[in-house]
Amino acid sequence: CPGNGSCGLCLVRIIEGKPSPPDENEQLQLSDQQLASGVRLACQVICETDMSVEIINRSDDFALLAVQG
């Protein structure tokens, strides 16, 4: 998807910072458990402050990325 939140492939876990609330697309793509643990769709998160996120790869490889907003 071109960033519209319909494919669910850009999973991140919010480590630090305050993201925008989950939108309707995220609520459709992600389980309640994922949302509760801070998992979000990177293409749908609006950063208004500095944030740190964990990139969740579908193959269970993880990386830490600091994003400044």
Side-chain angles (χ1 to χ4, degrees):
C1 72
N4 62 17
S6 63
C7 71
L9 295 177
C10 60
L11 296 176
V12 296
R13 184 180 323 278
I14 306 300
I15 304 297
E16 291 182 57
K18 185 174 180 182
S20 56
D23 67 8
E24 185 177 336
N25 290 329
E26 289 178 289
Q27 292 173 2
L28 292 172
Q29 291 288 330
L30 304 172
S31 70
D32 290 340
Q33 182 180 5
Q34 286 175 307
L35 289 169
S37 68
V39 174
R40 300 287 304 274
L41 298 177
C43 70
Q44 301 299 294
V45 174
I46 298 172
C47 303
E48 296 183 8
T49 63
D50 291 350
M51 293 179 59
S52 293
V53 299
E54 177 183 28
I55 299 171
I56 303 174
N57 187 325
R58 292 283 181 173
S59 66
D60 294 327
D61 293 328
F62 300 101
L64 187 65
L65 174 68
V67 179
Q68 294 191 2

Short mmCIF file of all heavy atoms in Angstrom, two decimals:
data_model
loop_
_atom_site.label_atom_id
_atom_site.label_comp_id
_atom_site.label_asym_id
_atom_site.label_seq_id
_atom_site.Cartn_x
_atom_site.Cartn_y
_atom_site.Cartn_z
N CYS A 1 0.85 -1.18 0.00
CA CYS A 1 0.00 0.00 0.00
C CYS A 1 0.89 1.24 0.00
O CYS A 1 1.98 1.20 0.55
CB CYS A 1 -0.93 0.00 1.21
SG CYS A 1 -0.16 0.33 2.79
N PRO A 2 0.47 2.30 -0.58
CA PRO A 2 1.29 3.52 -0.61
C PRO A 2 1.14 4.36 0.66
O PRO A 2 0.88 5.57 0.60
CB PRO A 2 0.78 4.25 -1.85
CG PRO A 2 -0.65 3.84 -1.95
CD PRO A 2 -0.70 2.41 -1.43
N GLY A 3 1.27 3.72 1.81
CA GLY A 3 1.20 4.46 3.07
C GLY A 3 -0.19 4.72 3.59
O GLY A 3 -0.39 5.60 4.42
N ASN A 4 -1.17 3.94 3.15
CA ASN A 4 -2.53 4.18 3.62
C ASN A 4 -2.96 3.22 4.74
O ASN A 4 -4.12 3.20 5.13
CB ASN A 4 -3.53 4.14 2.46
CG ASN A 4 -3.59 2.81 1.77
OD1 ASN A 4 -3.14 1.80 2.30
ND2 ASN A 4 -4.15 2.78 0.57
N GLY A 5 -2.04 2.40 5.24
CA GLY A 5 -2.32 1.54 6.38
C GLY A 5 -3.09 0.28 6.07
O GLY A 5 -3.58 -0.37 6.98
N SER A 6 -3.17 -0.11 4.82
CA SER A 6 -3.99 -1.27 4.48
C SER A 6 -3.23 -2.59 4.41
O SER A 6 -3.84 -3.64 4.47
CB SER A 6 -4.71 -1.04 3.15
OG SER A 6 -3.77 -0.90 2.10
N CYS A 7 -1.89 -2.56 4.33
CA CYS A 7 -1.15 -3.82 4.20
C CYS A 7 -0.64 -4.36 5.54
O CYS A 7 -0.44 -5.56 5.68
CB CYS A 7 0.00 -3.68 3.21
SG CYS A 7 1.36 -2.67 3.81
N GLY A 8 -0.40 -3.50 6.50
CA GLY A 8 0.06 -3.95 7.81
C GLY A 8 1.50 -4.41 7.86
O GLY A 8 1.89 -5.12 8.79
N LEU A 9 2.32 -4.04 6.89
CA LEU A 9 3.71 -4.52 6.84
C LEU A 9 4.71 -3.62 7.57
O LEU A 9 5.82 -4.07 7.84
CB LEU A 9 4.15 -4.68 5.38
CG LEU A 9 3.41 -5.75 4.59
CD1 LEU A 9 3.89 -5.75 3.14
CD2 LEU A 9 3.61 -7.11 5.23
N CYS A 10 4.36 -2.42 7.90
CA CYS A 10 5.33 -1.49 8.50
C CYS A 10 5.16 -1.43 10.02
O CYS A 10 5.02 -0.37 10.62
CB CYS A 10 5.20 -0.11 7.87
SG CYS A 10 3.57 0.66 8.05
N LEU A 11 5.23 -2.59 10.65
CA LEU A 11 5.02 -2.67 12.10
C LEU A 11 6.20 -2.11 12.88
O LEU A 11 7.36 -2.42 12.59
CB LEU A 11 4.82 -4.13 12.51
CG LEU A 11 3.59 -4.83 11.96
CD1 LEU A 11 3.60 -6.30 12.39
CD2 LEU A 11 2.32 -4.15 12.40
N VAL A 12 5.89 -1.29 13.86
CA VAL A 12 6.88 -0.78 14.80
C VAL A 12 6.28 -0.85 16.20
O VAL A 12 5.07 -0.89 16.37
CB VAL A 12 7.30 0.68 14.49
CG1 VAL A 12 8.00 0.79 13.15
CG2 VAL A 12 6.11 1.63 14.56
N ARG A 13 7.17 -0.90 17.20
CA ARG A 13 6.74 -0.81 18.59
C ARG A 13 7.28 0.51 19.13
O ARG A 13 8.46 0.80 19.02
CB ARG A 13 7.27 -1.96 19.42
CG ARG A 13 6.75 -1.95 20.86
CD ARG A 13 7.27 -3.12 21.70
NE ARG A 13 7.39 -4.37 20.98
CZ ARG A 13 6.39 -5.23 20.75
NH1 ARG A 13 5.17 -4.96 21.19
NH2 ARG A 13 6.59 -6.35 20.10
N ILE A 14 6.41 1.33 19.69
CA ILE A 14 6.81 2.61 20.25
C ILE A 14 7.57 2.34 21.55
O ILE A 14 7.03 1.73 22.47
CB ILE A 14 5.59 3.51 20.52
CG1 ILE A 14 4.74 3.67 19.26
CG2 ILE A 14 6.03 4.85 21.08
CD1 ILE A 14 5.43 4.28 18.06
N ILE A 15 8.82 2.80 21.61
CA ILE A 15 9.66 2.62 22.79
C ILE A 15 9.61 3.88 23.66
O ILE A 15 9.44 3.80 24.87
CB ILE A 15 11.12 2.33 22.39
CG1 ILE A 15 11.21 1.12 21.47
CG2 ILE A 15 12.01 2.17 23.62
CD1 ILE A 15 10.75 -0.18 22.08
N GLU A 16 9.78 5.03 23.03
CA GLU A 16 9.76 6.32 23.74
C GLU A 16 9.06 7.34 22.87
O GLU A 16 9.10 7.27 21.65
CB GLU A 16 11.17 6.82 24.01
CG GLU A 16 11.96 6.02 25.01
CD GLU A 16 13.33 6.64 25.24
OE1 GLU A 16 13.37 7.83 25.62
OE2 GLU A 16 14.32 5.94 25.03
N GLY A 17 8.46 8.32 23.53
CA GLY A 17 7.79 9.40 22.81
C GLY A 17 6.29 9.22 22.84
O GLY A 17 5.77 8.22 23.32
N LYS A 18 5.60 10.22 22.34
CA LYS A 18 4.14 10.20 22.36
C LYS A 18 3.62 10.28 20.92
O LYS A 18 3.61 11.34 20.32
CB LYS A 18 3.61 11.37 23.19
CG LYS A 18 2.12 11.32 23.33
CD LYS A 18 1.58 12.35 24.26
CE LYS A 18 0.07 12.18 24.30
NZ LYS A 18 -0.57 13.14 25.12
N PRO A 19 3.16 9.15 20.39
CA PRO A 19 2.62 9.15 19.03
C PRO A 19 1.16 9.61 19.01
O PRO A 19 0.51 9.70 20.05
CB PRO A 19 2.71 7.68 18.63
CG PRO A 19 2.50 6.95 19.92
CD PRO A 19 3.18 7.81 20.97
N SER A 20 0.68 9.86 17.82
CA SER A 20 -0.74 10.13 17.64
C SER A 20 -1.53 8.88 18.05
O SER A 20 -0.99 7.78 18.03
CB SER A 20 -1.01 10.48 16.18
OG SER A 20 -0.54 9.43 15.34
N PRO A 21 -2.80 9.04 18.41
CA PRO A 21 -3.61 7.85 18.76
C PRO A 21 -3.79 6.94 17.54
O PRO A 21 -3.75 7.41 16.40
CB PRO A 21 -4.96 8.44 19.18
CG PRO A 21 -4.75 9.90 19.33
CD PRO A 21 -3.54 10.28 18.56
N PRO A 22 -4.00 5.65 17.76
CA PRO A 22 -4.24 4.73 16.63
C PRO A 22 -5.46 5.17 15.83
O PRO A 22 -6.49 5.52 16.40
CB PRO A 22 -4.49 3.38 17.32
CG PRO A 22 -3.88 3.50 18.66
CD PRO A 22 -3.99 4.95 19.04
N ASP A 23 -5.32 5.14 14.52
CA ASP A 23 -6.45 5.52 13.67
C ASP A 23 -7.27 4.29 13.29
O ASP A 23 -6.98 3.17 13.71
CB ASP A 23 -5.98 6.30 12.44
CG ASP A 23 -5.17 5.46 11.47
OD1 ASP A 23 -5.09 4.23 11.64
OD2 ASP A 23 -4.62 6.04 10.52
N GLU A 24 -8.28 4.49 12.50
CA GLU A 24 -9.19 3.40 12.12
C GLU A 24 -8.46 2.27 11.38
O GLU A 24 -8.73 1.09 11.61
CB GLU A 24 -10.32 3.95 11.25
CG GLU A 24 -11.38 2.92 10.91
CD GLU A 24 -12.52 3.51 10.10
OE1 GLU A 24 -12.75 4.73 10.17
OE2 GLU A 24 -13.18 2.73 9.39
N ASN A 25 -7.53 2.63 10.49
CA ASN A 25 -6.78 1.61 9.75
C ASN A 25 -5.98 0.72 10.70
O ASN A 25 -5.93 -0.49 10.53
CB ASN A 25 -5.83 2.25 8.73
CG ASN A 25 -6.56 2.87 7.59
OD1 ASN A 25 -7.62 2.41 7.20
ND2 ASN A 25 -6.02 3.94 7.04
N GLU A 26 -5.34 1.32 11.69
CA GLU A 26 -4.57 0.54 12.65
C GLU A 26 -5.48 -0.36 13.48
O GLU A 26 -5.12 -1.50 13.78
CB GLU A 26 -3.77 1.46 13.57
CG GLU A 26 -2.62 2.14 12.85
CD GLU A 26 -1.88 3.08 13.75
OE1 GLU A 26 -2.44 4.14 14.09
OE2 GLU A 26 -0.74 2.76 14.11
N GLN A 27 -6.62 0.12 13.84
CA GLN A 27 -7.55 -0.68 14.63
C GLN A 27 -8.06 -1.87 13.84
O GLN A 27 -8.38 -2.91 14.41
CB GLN A 27 -8.69 0.19 15.15
CG GLN A 27 -8.19 1.20 16.17
CD GLN A 27 -9.24 2.20 16.58
OE1 GLN A 27 -10.38 2.14 16.15
NE2 GLN A 27 -8.86 3.12 17.44
N LEU A 28 -8.13 -1.74 12.51
CA LEU A 28 -8.53 -2.86 11.66
C LEU A 28 -7.39 -3.85 11.44
O LEU A 28 -7.61 -5.05 11.38
CB LEU A 28 -9.02 -2.34 10.30
CG LEU A 28 -10.32 -1.56 10.30
CD1 LEU A 28 -10.57 -0.95 8.93
CD2 LEU A 28 -11.48 -2.46 10.71
N GLN A 29 -6.15 -3.35 11.32
CA GLN A 29 -4.99 -4.18 10.99
C GLN A 29 -4.36 -4.85 12.21
O GLN A 29 -3.76 -5.91 12.08
CB GLN A 29 -3.91 -3.35 10.29
CG GLN A 29 -4.27 -2.89 8.90
CD GLN A 29 -4.27 -4.04 7.91
OE1 GLN A 29 -3.54 -5.01 8.05
NE2 GLN A 29 -5.12 -3.95 6.91
N LEU A 30 -4.44 -4.22 13.38
CA LEU A 30 -3.73 -4.69 14.56
C LEU A 30 -4.70 -5.23 15.61
O LEU A 30 -5.81 -4.73 15.76
CB LEU A 30 -2.90 -3.56 15.17
CG LEU A 30 -1.89 -2.90 14.22
CD1 LEU A 30 -1.27 -1.68 14.87
CD2 LEU A 30 -0.83 -3.89 13.79
N SER A 31 -4.25 -6.23 16.35
CA SER A 31 -5.08 -6.79 17.42
C SER A 31 -5.07 -5.86 18.62
O SER A 31 -4.19 -4.99 18.75
CB SER A 31 -4.56 -8.17 17.83
OG SER A 31 -3.32 -8.04 18.51
N ASP A 32 -6.03 -6.04 19.51
CA ASP A 32 -6.05 -5.26 20.75
C ASP A 32 -4.77 -5.48 21.55
O ASP A 32 -4.24 -4.55 22.15
CB ASP A 32 -7.27 -5.64 21.60
CG ASP A 32 -8.58 -5.17 20.98
OD1 ASP A 32 -8.56 -4.25 20.13
OD2 ASP A 32 -9.64 -5.73 21.35
N GLN A 33 -4.27 -6.71 21.53
CA GLN A 33 -3.04 -7.04 22.26
C GLN A 33 -1.84 -6.28 21.66
O GLN A 33 -1.00 -5.76 22.39
CB GLN A 33 -2.77 -8.54 22.22
CG GLN A 33 -1.54 -8.96 22.98
CD GLN A 33 -1.31 -10.46 22.93
OE1 GLN A 33 -2.02 -11.20 22.25
NE2 GLN A 33 -0.32 -10.92 23.65
N GLN A 34 -1.76 -6.23 20.33
CA GLN A 34 -0.67 -5.48 19.69
C GLN A 34 -0.75 -4.00 20.06
O GLN A 34 0.26 -3.40 20.42
CB GLN A 34 -0.73 -5.64 18.16
CG GLN A 34 -0.29 -7.00 17.68
CD GLN A 34 -0.48 -7.14 16.20
OE1 GLN A 34 -1.58 -6.92 15.68
NE2 GLN A 34 0.58 -7.53 15.50
N LEU A 35 -1.91 -3.42 19.93
CA LEU A 35 -2.07 -2.00 20.25
C LEU A 35 -1.71 -1.73 21.72
O LEU A 35 -1.02 -0.76 22.02
CB LEU A 35 -3.49 -1.54 19.95
CG LEU A 35 -3.84 -1.43 18.46
CD1 LEU A 35 -5.33 -1.24 18.28
CD2 LEU A 35 -3.05 -0.32 17.80
N ALA A 36 -2.12 -2.62 22.62
CA ALA A 36 -1.84 -2.45 24.04
C ALA A 36 -0.34 -2.52 24.33
O ALA A 36 0.14 -1.88 25.26
CB ALA A 36 -2.59 -3.48 24.86
N SER A 37 0.41 -3.29 23.53
CA SER A 37 1.85 -3.42 23.74
C SER A 37 2.65 -2.37 22.98
O SER A 37 3.87 -2.44 22.94
CB SER A 37 2.33 -4.83 23.37
OG SER A 37 2.23 -5.02 21.98
N GLY A 38 1.97 -1.41 22.36
CA GLY A 38 2.66 -0.31 21.68
C GLY A 38 2.97 -0.54 20.22
O GLY A 38 3.69 0.24 19.61
N VAL A 39 2.45 -1.62 19.65
CA VAL A 39 2.68 -1.89 18.23
C VAL A 39 1.80 -0.96 17.40
O VAL A 39 0.62 -0.78 17.70
CB VAL A 39 2.39 -3.37 17.87
CG1 VAL A 39 2.49 -3.61 16.37
CG2 VAL A 39 3.35 -4.28 18.62
N ARG A 40 2.40 -0.39 16.37
CA ARG A 40 1.69 0.55 15.50
C ARG A 40 2.13 0.33 14.06
O ARG A 40 3.10 -0.36 13.78
CB ARG A 40 2.04 1.99 15.91
CG ARG A 40 1.67 2.36 17.34
CD ARG A 40 0.19 2.54 17.54
NE ARG A 40 -0.37 3.53 16.64
CZ ARG A 40 -0.38 4.85 16.89
NH1 ARG A 40 0.11 5.32 18.03
NH2 ARG A 40 -0.89 5.68 16.02
N LEU A 41 1.41 0.93 13.13
CA LEU A 41 1.81 0.97 11.72
C LEU A 41 2.59 2.25 11.52
O LEU A 41 2.07 3.35 11.72
CB LEU A 41 0.59 0.95 10.81
CG LEU A 41 -0.30 -0.29 10.88
CD1 LEU A 41 -1.50 -0.13 9.96
CD2 LEU A 41 0.49 -1.54 10.54
N ALA A 42 3.86 2.13 11.13
CA ALA A 42 4.72 3.30 10.99
C ALA A 42 4.13 4.34 10.04
O ALA A 42 4.25 5.54 10.27
CB ALA A 42 6.11 2.88 10.52
N CYS A 43 3.46 3.89 9.00
CA CYS A 43 2.92 4.83 8.01
C CYS A 43 1.75 5.64 8.55
O CYS A 43 1.35 6.62 7.92
CB CYS A 43 2.53 4.09 6.74
SG CYS A 43 1.07 3.02 6.91
N GLN A 44 1.20 5.26 9.69
CA GLN A 44 0.04 5.95 10.24
C GLN A 44 0.37 6.80 11.47
O GLN A 44 -0.44 7.61 11.90
CB GLN A 44 -1.05 4.95 10.60
CG GLN A 44 -1.54 4.12 9.44
CD GLN A 44 -2.15 4.97 8.35
OE1 GLN A 44 -3.18 5.60 8.55
NE2 GLN A 44 -1.51 5.00 7.19
N VAL A 45 1.58 6.63 12.03
CA VAL A 45 1.97 7.36 13.23
C VAL A 45 2.42 8.77 12.86
O VAL A 45 3.23 8.96 11.95
CB VAL A 45 3.11 6.64 13.98
CG1 VAL A 45 3.60 7.47 15.15
CG2 VAL A 45 2.65 5.28 14.45
N ILE A 46 1.88 9.75 13.56
CA ILE A 46 2.32 11.13 13.40
C ILE A 46 3.21 11.47 14.58
O ILE A 46 2.81 11.34 15.73
CB ILE A 46 1.12 12.09 13.33
CG1 ILE A 46 0.26 11.75 12.11
CG2 ILE A 46 1.59 13.55 13.30
CD1 ILE A 46 -1.04 12.49 12.04
N CYS A 47 4.46 11.86 14.28
CA CYS A 47 5.43 12.20 15.32
C CYS A 47 5.40 13.70 15.56
O CYS A 47 5.66 14.47 14.65
CB CYS A 47 6.83 11.80 14.89
SG CYS A 47 7.03 10.08 14.49
N GLU A 48 5.08 14.09 16.77
CA GLU A 48 5.10 15.50 17.13
C GLU A 48 6.27 15.82 18.04
O GLU A 48 6.55 16.97 18.31
CB GLU A 48 3.77 15.89 17.76
CG GLU A 48 2.62 15.76 16.76
CD GLU A 48 1.29 16.19 17.32
OE1 GLU A 48 1.25 16.74 18.43
OE2 GLU A 48 0.28 15.98 16.63
N THR A 49 6.94 14.78 18.56
CA THR A 49 8.13 14.92 19.39
C THR A 49 9.12 13.84 18.95
O THR A 49 8.80 12.98 18.14
CB THR A 49 7.80 14.72 20.89
OG1 THR A 49 7.34 13.39 21.08
CG2 THR A 49 6.74 15.70 21.37
N ASP A 50 10.34 13.89 19.51
CA ASP A 50 11.30 12.82 19.24
C ASP A 50 10.71 11.49 19.72
O ASP A 50 10.04 11.44 20.75
CB ASP A 50 12.61 13.07 19.98
CG ASP A 50 13.37 14.26 19.42
OD1 ASP A 50 13.00 14.78 18.36
OD2 ASP A 50 14.36 14.66 20.07
N MET A 51 10.96 10.45 18.94
CA MET A 51 10.44 9.13 19.30
C MET A 51 11.50 8.08 19.02
O MET A 51 12.33 8.25 18.12
CB MET A 51 9.20 8.79 18.46
CG MET A 51 8.01 9.64 18.76
SD MET A 51 6.58 9.22 17.74
CE MET A 51 6.35 7.53 18.17
N SER A 52 11.48 7.00 19.79
CA SER A 52 12.28 5.81 19.52
C SER A 52 11.31 4.68 19.26
O SER A 52 10.33 4.52 19.99
CB SER A 52 13.16 5.45 20.71
OG SER A 52 14.14 6.44 20.91
N VAL A 53 11.59 3.91 18.20
CA VAL A 53 10.72 2.79 17.86
C VAL A 53 11.56 1.56 17.59
O VAL A 53 12.72 1.65 17.20
CB VAL A 53 9.83 3.10 16.62
CG1 VAL A 53 8.93 4.28 16.87
CG2 VAL A 53 10.67 3.31 15.38
N GLU A 54 10.97 0.40 17.81
CA GLU A 54 11.57 -0.87 17.45
C GLU A 54 10.91 -1.30 16.15
O GLU A 54 9.67 -1.36 16.06
CB GLU A 54 11.29 -1.88 18.56
CG GLU A 54 11.79 -3.27 18.29
CD GLU A 54 11.40 -4.22 19.42
OE1 GLU A 54 10.38 -4.00 20.09
OE2 GLU A 54 12.14 -5.19 19.59
N ILE A 55 11.71 -1.58 15.13
CA ILE A 55 11.16 -2.03 13.86
C ILE A 55 10.90 -3.51 13.96
O ILE A 55 11.78 -4.29 14.31
CB ILE A 55 12.12 -1.72 12.70
CG1 ILE A 55 12.35 -0.21 12.60
CG2 ILE A 55 11.58 -2.29 11.39
CD1 ILE A 55 13.44 0.17 11.65
N ILE A 56 9.68 -3.92 13.68
CA ILE A 56 9.29 -5.32 13.78
C ILE A 56 9.23 -5.90 12.37
O ILE A 56 8.32 -5.58 11.61
CB ILE A 56 7.94 -5.48 14.50
CG1 ILE A 56 8.01 -4.85 15.89
CG2 ILE A 56 7.55 -6.95 14.57
CD1 ILE A 56 6.69 -4.82 16.60
N ASN A 57 10.17 -6.75 12.06
CA ASN A 57 10.24 -7.39 10.77
C ASN A 57 9.38 -8.65 10.82
O ASN A 57 9.37 -9.35 11.82
CB ASN A 57 11.71 -7.73 10.47
CG ASN A 57 11.94 -8.25 9.09
OD1 ASN A 57 11.11 -8.96 8.54
ND2 ASN A 57 13.07 -7.92 8.52
N ARG A 58 8.71 -8.96 9.76
CA ARG A 58 7.85 -10.15 9.72
C ARG A 58 8.63 -11.43 9.98
O ARG A 58 8.08 -12.43 10.39
CB ARG A 58 7.15 -10.26 8.36
CG ARG A 58 6.14 -9.19 8.11
CD ARG A 58 4.89 -9.48 8.88
NE ARG A 58 3.91 -8.44 8.61
CZ ARG A 58 2.69 -8.48 9.03
NH1 ARG A 58 2.27 -9.48 9.75
NH2 ARG A 58 1.86 -7.50 8.77
N SER A 59 9.96 -11.43 9.76
CA SER A 59 10.76 -12.63 10.02
C SER A 59 11.29 -12.65 11.45
O SER A 59 12.19 -13.41 11.78
CB SER A 59 11.92 -12.70 9.03
OG SER A 59 12.82 -11.63 9.26
N ASP A 60 10.73 -11.78 12.31
CA ASP A 60 11.08 -11.71 13.72
C ASP A 60 12.49 -11.18 13.97
O ASP A 60 13.07 -11.40 15.02
CB ASP A 60 10.89 -13.05 14.43
CG ASP A 60 9.43 -13.44 14.49
OD1 ASP A 60 8.57 -12.54 14.58
OD2 ASP A 60 9.16 -14.64 14.43
N ASP A 61 13.09 -10.50 12.98
CA ASP A 61 14.34 -9.80 13.22
C ASP A 61 13.97 -8.42 13.74
O ASP A 61 13.00 -7.81 13.30
CB ASP A 61 15.14 -9.63 11.93
CG ASP A 61 15.64 -10.97 11.39
OD1 ASP A 61 15.92 -11.86 12.23
OD2 ASP A 61 15.73 -11.10 10.17
N PHE A 62 14.73 -7.91 14.69
CA PHE A 62 14.42 -6.63 15.29
C PHE A 62 15.60 -5.68 15.15
O PHE A 62 16.75 -6.09 15.15
CB PHE A 62 14.08 -6.79 16.78
CG PHE A 62 12.91 -7.67 17.02
CD1 PHE A 62 13.07 -8.97 17.41
CD2 PHE A 62 11.62 -7.18 16.83
CE1 PHE A 62 11.98 -9.79 17.62
CE2 PHE A 62 10.52 -7.98 17.04
CZ PHE A 62 10.70 -9.30 17.44
N ALA A 63 15.29 -4.40 15.07
CA ALA A 63 16.30 -3.35 15.05
C ALA A 63 15.75 -2.18 15.83
O ALA A 63 14.54 -2.03 15.97
CB ALA A 63 16.61 -2.93 13.61
N LEU A 64 16.63 -1.37 16.36
CA LEU A 64 16.21 -0.18 17.10
C LEU A 64 16.54 1.04 16.28
O LEU A 64 17.65 1.16 15.76
CB LEU A 64 16.91 -0.13 18.46
CG LEU A 64 16.43 0.97 19.39
CD1 LEU A 64 14.96 0.73 19.78
CD2 LEU A 64 17.28 0.99 20.66
N LEU A 65 15.60 1.92 16.14
CA LEU A 65 15.78 3.11 15.31
C LEU A 65 15.32 4.31 16.11
O LEU A 65 14.23 4.31 16.67
CB LEU A 65 14.93 2.98 14.04
CG LEU A 65 14.85 4.17 13.12
CD1 LEU A 65 16.21 4.40 12.45
CD2 LEU A 65 13.79 3.94 12.05
N ALA A 66 16.15 5.33 16.16
CA ALA A 66 15.75 6.58 16.81
C ALA A 66 15.31 7.54 15.72
O ALA A 66 16.04 7.77 14.75
CB ALA A 66 16.91 7.16 17.60
N VAL A 67 14.13 8.07 15.86
CA VAL A 67 13.57 8.99 14.88
C VAL A 67 13.36 10.32 15.55
O VAL A 67 12.73 10.38 16.60
CB VAL A 67 12.23 8.45 14.32
CG1 VAL A 67 11.63 9.42 13.33
CG2 VAL A 67 12.41 7.09 13.70
N GLN A 68 13.88 11.36 14.96
CA GLN A 68 13.66 12.68 15.52
C GLN A 68 12.58 13.38 14.71
O GLN A 68 12.61 13.37 13.51
CB GLN A 68 14.95 13.50 15.49
CG GLN A 68 16.00 12.92 16.43
CD GLN A 68 17.16 13.84 16.61
OE1 GLN A 68 17.18 14.95 16.09
NE2 GLN A 68 18.14 13.39 17.37
N GLY A 69 11.60 13.94 15.43
CA GLY A 69 10.45 14.54 14.76
C GLY A 69 10.40 16.01 14.91
O GLY A 69 11.00 16.71 15.60
#
